[in-house]
Amino acid sequence: MMTTHCVRTIFRCLLLGAAVFLCATSFTPPLSAETGAEAWLRYSRLDRQTAAAYEQFPEAVVLGDSSVLKSAQLELVHGVAQMTGKTLRVSNILPDANALVLGTLTELRVLAPELRPPEKIKNDGYWLKMTNIHNHQCLIVTAVTDRGVLYGVFELLSKIARGENITSIDELQQPFAPIRWVNQWDNLDGRIERGYGGRSIFFADGKVRSDLSRAGQYARLLASIGINGCTINNVNAAPGVLEDSFIAQVSRIADVFRPWGVRLSISVDLSSPKVIGGLDTFDPLDPRVAEWWRKKVDEIYRKIPDFGGVVVKADSEGRLGPSTYGRTPADAANVIARALKPHGGVVLYRAFVYNHHLDWHNLKNDRAKAAYDNFRPLDGDFDDNVIVQIKNGPIDFQVREPASPLFAGLRRTNEAIELQITQEYTGQQRQLCFLVPMWKEVLDFDMRVDGNATPVKDLVARRVFHRPVGGFVGVANVGLDANWLGSPLAMANLFGFGRLAWNPNLKAENIIDEWTRLTFGTDPLVVKTISEMQLSSWHVYESYTGPLGAGTLTNILGNHYDPGPESSEDNGWGQWHRADHQGIGMDRTVATGTGFIGQYPPEVQVFYESLTRCPDNLLLFFHHVPYTYVLRSGKTVIQHIYDSHYDGAEAARDFITQWKAVEGHIDDERYRDILSRFQYQAGEAVVWRDTICNWIYHLSGIPDNKGRVAFQAQAVSDQHN
Ligand code: GCW
């Protein structure tokens, strides 16, 4: 006879099995309540009154049965049920009640031939429209593609979650550019380069993981913000990723992406034809190499018919590249592009090509010049399915950099901007740094190409030179940690990247408002507090890690996190600030410096070249000045550096007080988790403040006129004596 204990155990196992099954489907969000795992797709229960406004539709009509439409339907039913407590009835035919109607325009016209969108809907765009079909009130979600319908559903659910009025909705949204991808820097052994959210969701021990449930959930998150491509492995690519047996494994990841309209792509190593292909060369102009790439790409498409393409990092930081054979990046990109072309794939070739053995003693040397010097002469040589992927700034994701001049340097070459969501140089998710305001400054920066308004966003989105393709790439590096990036607040950067890639004209204030409401609820105190903290966080972080455009004065030879201003100098990496006893900053002027400024269009050159016109926040990026140089504020450079560090550390401490205001207004788990992060950040800010202030005081010999730094340095030396 079965004992009660036995029955209980079986019952528990069944429950556990059911839970595992639910988690394993790519659709169901993890069960753990407020770890941040659901990110902005929490769909928390609305109050009765708000919910009532959305309950006029008992039915969902879904026209079509593709896997993407299935996701759209499941998401809608799930979201509405979570938020209102009501389960929609799903049908595939005419509505017989008021309904939410999902389907492409072609399908929809069968039901309602008179429906005409106000303008032509582009690929991935969608239209949300309240209308009447067969005497029923219907809210239609339509698009030209199934993916557009899915995006429309996510937008509708977001509106409901934020309590927006949809009674007479008529909204058509178009994506700003076709490339809206994330890159993951995952290694095949499961580690992630510059990843701060745990191990890889794709790989473990040199293989594709057997459990890909998180990969499916990631694709859902990406789709919810309009991202349509994901590169799954590190740009420092292991050649083995192209082995046929590995491609077969990778195709399983594509399978879990597909229902969410996310195309899979991989990073490839250019030496693959030699290293794994058995050829004695990887010279891109050798016909055997071309043939190898062709066969390899055909093989990939046999296994992954919707494969997106490849990302290439070559001749950079020790990676092999076309320079081995005296060939150009265009030669290298084109040989792969030609293999991809018949299948509709693209090559994203990274412009992050530079010499990391630069001679520091030569004052004319400048790493910032590398991307332009390497790629500008090749403009027009790239095939039309190659996109040059350009980091936002000319160095490397520092806390502040000017926009890369290469955006203006290419006219006949497709471009994409590469932004870094993972906070490598900006606090590694252990400190708060909301990057949307930084990205917006770059995207809005007017390059004045040919004397016309040409903001970077328009250049990358093909609005200026009408190039075939282009867009946005974000280095995301989510991991297996429950909240993906290792910190719930850092998820605002992933969300913000997606929203900007969809529409770079959105305001940072609106993006963060939206994200906060979806992630923490609509309590006005919560929305105000968290939005304000996020919006101020980049400036706070900058003020104690790298004011005046000095770059991040971090340990560049190690973790890219702790203060380490001396590590930048006297080596070949080129992240120099050239601080000495008299002054600080890189002279990048045309007149006396490295000439980097000469890479910008003339109007921008004039602006940066002039010491008086150059904005203070980039002063030390462009100019070498004495510590006594007086800024617009009337302060000397050295005093600004002292004050900025003290103000920054104080602002970081204030985050604790600000955060305490939300206690009891959000769930306890996330409240306490985030509080401890702010307590830690306050301490780190003091470490940064004291390290940098003492370093620069010793270098310059100029005391802080508020008596803090010299005093402190004195106290330390007294202690030692
Ligand atoms: O910022 C640097 C990182 C490297 C990275 C490189 C790149 C993947 O420190 O870890 O390598 O940029 O973008 O290729």
Side-chain angles (χ1 to χ4, degrees):
M1 216 177 86
M2 237 192 253
T3 61
T4 328
H5 173 74
C6 227
V7 173
R8 260 199 226 123
T9 314
I10 292 171
F11 185 64
R12 272 202 202 115
C13 288
L14 285 175
L15 272 183
L16 190 70
V20 168
F21 170 76
L22 284 174
C23 284
T25 64
S26 56
F27 172 70
T28 315
L31 298 176
S32 43
E34 294 289 359
T35 56
E38 295 95 340
W40 49 86
L41 298 177
R42 284 165 73 242
Y43 302 134
S44 61
R45 183 61 67 93
L46 301 170
D47 61 65
R48 264 305 340 124
Q49 205 187 343
T50 317
Y54 304 112
E55 283 166 8
Q56 49 178 315
F57 306 103
E59 187 172 299
V61 175
V62 185
L63 308 168
D65 60 359
S66 71
S67 72
V68 171
L69 280 178
K70 269 258 147 10
S71 300
Q73 170 188 327
L74 284 171
E75 191 71 31
L76 185 71
V77 173
H78 165 71
V80 168
Q82 292 257 119
M83 291 190 280
T84 66
K86 298 265 167 5
T87 303
L88 294 168
R89 198 169 62 233
V90 179
S91 104
N92 301 96
I93 43 169
L94 278 177
D96 60 10
N98 291 349
L100 300 166
V101 182
L102 319 185
T104 60
L105 261 184
T106 321
E107 298 278 357
L108 203 80
R109 287 233 173 88
V110 179
L111 279 192
E114 69 291 347
L115 262 175
R116 292 264 172 281
E119 64 182 85
K120 190 168 178 294
I121 308 178
K122 292 190 212 154
N123 230 349
D124 289 356
Y126 56 84
W127 183 33
L128 305 178
K129 164 89 176 152
M130 194 68 85
T131 189
N132 201 291
I133 300 179
H134 294 273
N135 294 327
H136 297 297
Q137 178 80 345
C138 290
L139 197 166
I140 59 160
V141 181
T142 191
V144 286
T145 60
D146 293 348
R147 185 157 59 197
V149 175
L150 176 64
Y151 292 167
V153 163
F154 275 117
E155 177 58 25
L156 175 62
L157 289 169
S158 164
K159 285 183 190 306
I160 297 176
R162 288 176 288 118
E164 269 192 25
N165 185 347
I166 53 167
T167 40
S168 50
I169 194 166
D170 184 356
E171 183 176 315
L172 193 146
Q173 291 239 13
Q174 311 272 27
F176 205 76
I179 296 285
R180 302 181 307 278
W181 286 20
V182 287
N183 286 177
Q184 285 278 140
W185 289 350
D186 297 30
N187 295 316
L188 308 191
D189 65 4
R191 287 172 306 129
I192 303 181
E193 182 154 348
R194 315 298 174 191
Y196 313 104
R199 309 280 291 185
S200 171
I201 59 173
F202 304 127
F203 310 112
D205 307 323
K207 298 196 197 73
V208 170
R209 292 169 54 82
S210 50
D211 175 4
L212 289 173
S213 50
R214 283 299 289 272
Q217 289 161 12
Y218 186 37
R220 170 174 170 252
L221 271 188
L222 295 178
S224 75
I225 46 175
I227 291 176
N228 58 9
C230 174
T231 312
I232 56 173
N233 62 313
N234 194 349
V235 287
N236 292 325
V241 75
L242 284 177
E243 298 276 11
D244 288 352
S245 56
F246 205 85
I247 294 168
Q249 296 181 42
V250 164
S251 71
R252 290 182 36 240
I253 305 178
D255 292 344
V256 300
F257 280 2
R258 194 164 296 118
W260 301 101
V262 175
R263 288 174 86 180
L264 179 142
S265 50
I266 55 179
S267 300
V268 300
D269 181 295
L270 266 192
S271 69
S272 304
K274 187 169 170 190
V275 180
I276 63 159
L279 300 181
D280 57 6
T281 178
F282 63 93
D283 178 353
L285 296 192
D286 187 308
R288 289 170 303 153
V289 170
E291 181 60 10
W292 187 86
W293 282 113
R294 200 183 56 70
K295 285 204 172 119
K296 186 52 72 182
V297 166
D298 287 350
E299 169 63 19
I300 296 177
Y301 277 93
R302 257 193 298 281
K303 300 211 167 81
I304 309 174
D306 55 351
F307 183 66
V310 303
V311 178
V312 180
K313 173 177 177 178
D315 286 323
S316 167
E317 301 186 328
R319 310 294 305 168
L320 288 170
S323 69
T324 309
Y325 301 97
R327 311 298 188 202
T328 68
D331 297 329
N334 292 346
V335 68
I336 312 179
R338 284 167 200 166
L340 287 160
K341 178 88 179 175
H343 304 282
V346 294
V347 173
L348 281 131
Y349 198 99
R350 296 177 87 226
F352 188 62
V353 175
Y354 71 101
N355 170 8
H356 66 281
H357 298 291
L358 276 184
D359 177 10
W360 175 75
H361 297 279
N362 183 342
L363 294 178
K364 295 288 173 198
N365 279 346
D366 188 357
R367 167 169 162 187
K369 288 164 75 176
Y372 187 97
D373 283 350
N374 285 310
F375 285 81
R376 169 81 178 89
L378 302 175
D379 190 22
D381 292 354
F382 291 93
D383 281 11
D384 64 3
N385 60 331
V386 176
I387 300 152
V388 174
Q389 180 168 319
I390 307 168
K391 287 193 183 187
N392 58 282
I395 298 283
D396 189 6
F397 300 137
Q398 305 296 283
V399 72
R400 184 180 292 272
E401 292 185 49
S404 169
L406 187 58
F407 292 119
L410 301 175
R411 289 167 183 245
R412 288 173 297 141
T413 306
N414 303 312
E415 323 185 315
I417 186 168
E418 180 178 321
L419 301 168
Q420 200 184 34
I421 297 160
T422 188
Q423 296 168 237
E424 177 182 358
Y425 285 97
T426 50
Q428 305 194 349
Q429 276 97 289
R430 288 188 262 167
Q431 304 196 37
L432 186 66
C433 194
F434 178 52
L435 295 163
V436 165
M438 177 213 267
W439 296 336
K440 278 205 61 87
E441 282 195 18
V442 175
L443 291 167
D444 290 343
F445 184 78
D446 187 354
M447 284 286 181
R448 308 298 305 159
V449 176
D450 300 333
N452 297 319
T454 47
V456 169
K457 60 190 172 197
D458 287 356
L459 288 164
V460 298
R462 317 166 294 151
R463 296 184 176 213
V464 181
F465 298 118
H466 307 292
R467 296 166 280 204
V469 63
F472 303 80
V473 178
V475 180
N477 293 358
V478 304
L480 277 176
D481 279 6
N483 59 41
W484 302 96
L485 281 173
S487 148
L489 293 186
M491 290 296 278
N493 286 325
L494 179 57
F495 180 84
F497 169 77
R499 300 297 286 131
L500 282 183
W502 183 266
N503 179 7
N505 293 322
L506 290 173
K507 292 201 170 75
E509 291 76 8
N510 294 347
I511 293 176
I512 201 61
D513 180 274
E514 208 179 292
W515 175 81
T516 310
R517 286 171 194 277
L518 296 173
T519 308
F520 287 100
T522 53
D523 177 335
L525 174 98
V526 171
V527 176
K528 183 169 183 299
T529 307
I530 298 182
S531 301
E532 281 176 4
M533 293 175 79
Q534 291 271 23
L535 286 170
S536 67
S537 61
W538 169 43
H539 289 296
V540 171
Y541 190 75
E542 177 185 28
S543 63
Y544 62 82
T545 62
L548 299 177
T552 307
L553 300 173
T554 184
N555 175 353
I556 69 138
L557 301 175
N559 60 7
H560 296 186
Y561 179 73
D562 295 318
E566 274 146 10
S567 69
S568 299
E569 296 293 280
D570 208 0
N571 60 47
W573 287 98
Q575 284 177 238
W576 307 325
H577 47 68
R578 296 209 181 279
D580 57 23
H581 294 299
Q582 268 82 46
I584 179 170
M586 277 289 290
D587 182 357
R588 294 190 156 106
T589 61
V590 176
T592 56
T594 68
F596 166 74
I597 292 175
Q599 295 183 340
Y600 287 97
E603 286 178 51
V604 179
Q605 283 184 35
V606 172
F607 180 63
Y608 285 144
E609 183 85 5
S610 143
L611 197 49
T612 48
R613 289 185 69 189
C614 179
D616 284 350
N617 58 23
L618 279 170
L619 187 76
L620 305 181
F621 189 92
F622 287 115
H623 297 273
H624 184 85
V625 295
Y627 293 113
T628 50
Y629 178 79
V630 179
L631 299 165
R632 287 197 185 80
S633 61
K635 278 185 195 174
T636 59
V637 163
I638 189 83
Q639 194 55 43
H640 179 96
I641 292 176
Y642 292 142
D643 288 351
S644 169
H645 282 83
Y646 276 85
D647 294 348
E650 206 175 305
R653 203 189 52 217
D654 285 350
F655 279 156
I656 301 174
T657 324
Q658 284 172 265
W659 184 250
K660 284 186 173 162
V662 302
E663 185 174 13
H665 293 257
I666 65 166
D667 55 286
D668 238 38
E669 289 103 314
R670 287 184 299 172
Y671 171 74
R672 274 186 277 106
D673 173 29
I674 294 168
L675 177 63
S676 68
R677 290 168 196 273
F678 283 126
Q679 285 160 339
Y680 163 81
Q681 178 169 356
E684 285 296 291
V686 170
V687 172
W688 265 94
R689 179 195 75 190
D690 292 350
T691 311
I692 301 298
C693 288
N694 287 335
W695 164 73
I696 208 150
Y697 168 66
H698 283 296
L699 209 54
S700 65
I702 304 174
D704 164 29
N705 68 15
K706 299 201 176 104
R708 297 160 300 191
V709 181
F711 171 77
Q712 201 185 58
Q714 193 55 48
V716 172
S717 96
D718 286 351
Q719 243 174 37
H720 285 278
N721 290 331

